Amino acid sequence: MAPTPDSNTPDPNTPGSTTPTPLTLKPGTPWSDAWRRARTAAPEAFQDDRVLNLWAGRWHKDGRALPATSPIDGTPIAGPPRLDAPTAQQAVRASLDQHRAWRHIPLPERGARVSATLDALTEHRELLALLLVWEIGKPWRLAQADVDRAIDGVRWYVDTIDTMLENRTPLPGPVSNIASWNYPMSVLVHAMLVQALAGNAVIAKTPTDGGVACLTLAAALAVREGIPVTLVSGSGGELSEALVRSPEIGCVSFVGGRDTGARIATAVADLGKRHILEQEGLNTWGVWNFTDWDALSSVIPKLFDYGKQRCTAYPRFVVQRTLFDQFLAAYLPAVRSVRTGHPLAVEHPEDALPALDFGPLINAAKAKELGDQVVEAIDRGAVPLHRATLADGRFLPGQDTSAYLPPVTLLNPPPSSPLFHAEPFGPVDTIVLVDTEAELLAAMNASNGALVATLSTDDAGTYDRLAPHIRAFKVGRGKPRSRGDREELFGGFGASWHGAFVGGELLVRAVTEGPERERAPGNFPAYQLIP
């Protein structure tokens, strides 16, 4: 969707000058409208100013509803109704009862119910996307893409899963899903529906930081079609015993940070429980003996989608020192073109929503934390190469911008900085200069494993020689890699992933049982098996 050109009106105080037209919320997009539409679409799941928990096939007004605000502009929105541990345990036991019934439903009927759910999600596509915009700050284009990828990806499984399930059976218990807030539909809902299609009841914990209303609407549409979904809210510490360690759980699927993932990995290893643990890594982009700067420059703005708040973002460039001047000549104009601002702000009511690269970070605390890390890194010797300002963004007059962080690029972050070895999960790029191939590989492998990486080099032989030594599950040549959809596999190396790999047939294998002594591809305590 192309942005609408800026409109200008004459400034009466300065002859011949113009002033920008003040921005306003596009009609039909305020949170109050989105909330009203959600209550109309699923009145059983939304009550007054709160969402409900879903367990035992019914919606419950239990749990303590926490206050929440939108990262976009501080607007009050619905917060998660946090359950206590005993209630969560009841929900898990009820899910096991659902699982024991659902696993015997014939595949054609399961497929029909999942297809009906996808039809309902398609009908409410724009509302689901609008809820995502308010809850996690995604620009309109990216919010719609999140919904579409969930729907299209699950449809592919409905059409192809028959052969994937040959000689396989559902797990002995439901799948417990604990996922981060950044892709509620294309990661979490997608996984839940495929797990159900494979014959399992599914449990999901709503992310603490956002997405509860969108997930509640999606779950309501699914449970209407008879899908055995449980959706609960609560703190990880409070609900971990029920959602991770309960003997009723057949598999734990986690997407999130390394600290929480490590604790879950320890728990599931002790219990010998089936698990899928996707964790972040410092995904890197190497530049070595390279000359196609136009190609690199064209991709830089795309790498800022959703403010790099994605598991496959590229926040680190490792650049051959002798190419640094040419790299900067390509990089700086591209990063200066990145657009941020209020995702729903327009100049005129009839205008299309703006085509932004990203809006706010997930909350003001994250923006401050990352901003403080930038300041500290500079104090310790990092060189600021680019620092945008919020004055360059599109905002409503006087709006709260505390969750926004404009793009920053630092050269040579100090080893003492978190920006040196960890994924920032925000629009902060770091650049490290190297002189040898050995230094290049060491710098690209700084985080002990990653999900994706890219190497830009003119020579195919150089790529073929170096790529196998980059500790990332997917390595691209001059192009970014992503999770992928449908048949494309996904996993990680090192500390970025524990347990079964997913994607295509592997996602189905991860949540079903096959031949005796089958070894699933993945990273396990006793072995690593690369597909």
Side-chain angles (χ1 to χ4, degrees):
M1 182 188 302
T4 301
D6 291 341
S7 298
N8 296 298
T9 56
D11 181 355
N13 298 318
T14 307
S17 71
T18 60
T19 57
T21 301
L23 301 180
T24 185
L25 273 180
K26 184 174 178 64
T29 66
W31 169 255
S32 57
D33 289 4
W35 182 254
R36 175 185 51 76
R37 291 171 60 189
R39 290 189 61 186
T40 300
E44 68 274 25
F46 297 85
Q47 189 172 93
D48 300 326
D49 60 349
R50 63 172 287 166
V51 300
L52 306 184
N53 287 297
L54 170 64
W55 57 276
R58 295 185 294 110
W59 294 95
H60 299 260
K61 189 178 179 180
D62 49 16
R64 181 169 61 93
L66 297 183
T69 58
S70 170
I72 290 179
D73 58 9
T75 294
I77 61 174
R82 300 177 69 159
L83 291 181
D84 56 24
T87 307
Q89 191 62 61
Q90 290 183 56
V92 170
R93 294 193 190 103
S95 181
L96 177 60
D97 292 339
Q98 291 179 307
H99 179 84
R100 287 170 172 165
W102 177 255
R103 64 177 307 188
H104 297 296
I105 299 292
L107 177 59
E109 183 175 342
R110 297 201 306 264
R113 295 188 188 185
V114 171
S115 292
T117 301
L118 298 176
D119 291 342
L121 293 174
T122 301
E123 179 185 350
H124 295 283
R125 169 183 179 262
E126 291 200 354
L127 174 56
L128 290 163
L130 182 59
L131 291 170
L132 285 183
V133 174
W134 278 109
E135 293 191 285
I136 62 175
K138 282 198 171 183
W140 181 240
R141 171 180 61 86
L142 299 178
Q144 289 179 301
D146 194 13
V147 177
D148 292 343
R149 285 183 60 191
I151 295 170
D152 295 343
V154 179
R155 286 199 192 280
W156 180 84
Y157 278 96
V158 170
D159 293 338
T160 60
I161 199 170
D162 301 64
T163 57
M164 298 181 192
L165 286 177
E166 289 181 1
N167 301 316
R168 307 194 69 81
T169 59
L171 297 173
V175 182
S176 177
N177 294 272
I178 304 169
S180 59
W181 42 265
N182 53 343
Y183 284 89
M185 293 295 297
S186 63
V187 174
L188 181 51
V189 170
H190 176 278
M192 292 165 60
L193 292 178
V194 175
Q195 293 160 7
L197 182 63
N200 304 288
V202 295
I203 304 169
K205 186 181 91 65
T206 63
T208 303
D209 288 320
V212 63
C214 176
L215 287 169
T216 298
L217 177 56
L221 299 175
V223 78
R224 285 178 182 176
E225 304 301 335
I227 307 296
V229 173
T230 295
L231 185 68
V232 296
S233 295
S235 72
E238 182 81 4
L239 303 191
S240 178
E241 189 70 22
L243 300 184
V244 175
R245 303 187 66 91
S246 290
E248 293 91 344
I249 298 296
C251 175
V252 176
S253 178
F254 169 82
V255 180
R258 288 193 180 186
D259 290 343
T260 303
R263 291 192 292 271
I264 293 177
T266 299
V268 295
D270 291 346
L271 299 168
K273 195 182 294 290
R274 185 76 63 92
H275 57 283
I276 307 162
L277 308 181
E278 176 187 332
Q279 300 161 99
E280 87 273 9
L282 184 61
N283 305 316
T284 58
W285 191 301
V287 179
W288 188 262
N289 291 342
F290 179 70
T291 59
D292 191 358
W293 300 110
D294 288 343
L296 179 63
S297 183
S298 68
V299 80
I300 294 297
K302 300 174 185 176
L303 301 182
F304 279 86
D305 273 0
Y306 195 33
K308 302 207 172 191
Q309 296 179 107
R310 51 191 300 178
C311 64
T312 54
Y314 286 83
R316 168 67 51 81
F317 290 89
V318 181
V319 181
Q320 187 175 6
R321 191 182 306 273
T322 55
L323 299 179
F324 185 47
D325 58 334
Q326 298 172 70
F327 172 85
L328 279 186
Y331 173 88
L332 289 177
V335 75
R336 288 169 182 151
S337 72
V338 171
R339 302 188 65 188
T340 186
H342 193 305
L344 302 173
V346 294
E347 292 162 359
H348 306 288
E350 67 275 12
D351 288 349
L353 290 171
L356 303 174
D357 296 291
F358 65 98
L361 300 192
I362 188 58
N363 52 48
K366 175 60 180 179
K368 183 180 185 305
E369 173 193 348
L370 194 49
D372 289 346
Q373 289 179 4
V374 168
V375 171
E376 182 181 54
I378 294 172
D379 287 344
R380 294 181 181 180
V383 179
L385 298 177
H386 171 69
R387 281 189 284 189
T389 70
L390 292 183
D392 302 321
R394 292 172 48 94
F395 298 105
L396 299 177
Q399 82 161 77
D400 182 346
T401 59
S402 59
Y404 292 79
L405 184 74
V408 178
T409 306
L410 302 179
L411 174 66
N412 290 338
S416 60
S417 169
L419 298 175
F420 182 83
H421 55 78
E423 183 179 23
F425 235 60
V428 177
D429 278 348
T430 56
I431 301 173
V432 173
L433 303 182
V434 295
D435 297 298
T436 67
E437 291 183 355
E439 288 180 302
L440 174 79
L441 292 174
M444 293 189 71
N445 294 328
S447 68
N448 183 25
L451 304 177
V452 297
T454 292
L455 178 61
S456 289
T457 182
D458 291 346
D459 181 54
T462 298
Y463 175 84
D464 293 341
R465 179 165 44 82
L466 296 179
H469 301 285
I470 299 173
R471 298 273 294 164
F473 188 79
K474 294 182 180 181
V475 180
R477 183 183 172 198
K479 296 181 180 179
R481 299 303 308 269
S482 67
R483 289 181 63 92
D485 290 311
R486 303 176 179 134
E487 69 272 15
E488 190 171 356
L489 307 182
F490 193 54
F493 279 106
S496 69
W497 196 286
H498 295 290
F501 295 148
V502 297
E505 182 183 1
L506 293 190
L507 175 54
V508 174
R509 288 181 62 181
V511 295
T512 56
E513 295 189 319
E516 187 178 358
R517 298 180 181 177
E518 176 186 69
R519 297 209 309 170
N523 301 327
F524 297 93
Y527 71 91
Q528 180 186 58
L529 180 61
I530 305 299

